[in-house]
Amino acid sequence: MRSSVSAGPLAATRQTGAEVPRPTGKYRVRPGPYDNAAIAQRARDAAARRGYGDASIIVQP
């Protein structure tokens, strides 16, 4: 059976090597970790330019 999910988020994970857990039919893409905040911000901005304007940065302790 073919998935009804668009290829966009999955294609992004292939390009970045991000992790994509699939709980309850929703997708969460987690690229990184990044060495510093500036690099993380550039990656977030790039995701926003690709149509994922709600992308956010989460800092883990």
Side-chain angles (χ1 to χ4, degrees):
M1 175 188 279
R2 187 177 166 108
S3 173
S4 62
V5 176
S6 72
L10 298 179
T13 63
R14 283 191 292 276
Q15 292 172 358
T16 64
E19 176 184 334
V20 184
R22 296 181 186 180
T24 66
K26 300 216 182 234
Y27 290 81
R28 177 178 293 146
V29 177
R30 297 182 344 181
Y34 296 103
D35 289 332
N36 61 54
I39 296 170
Q41 185 64 49
R42 285 195 298 270
R44 193 230 85 66
D45 293 346
R49 284 191 301 275
R50 291 184 180 108
Y52 301 98
D54 59 348
S56 60
I57 296 173
I58 298 171
V59 179
Q60 294 181 325

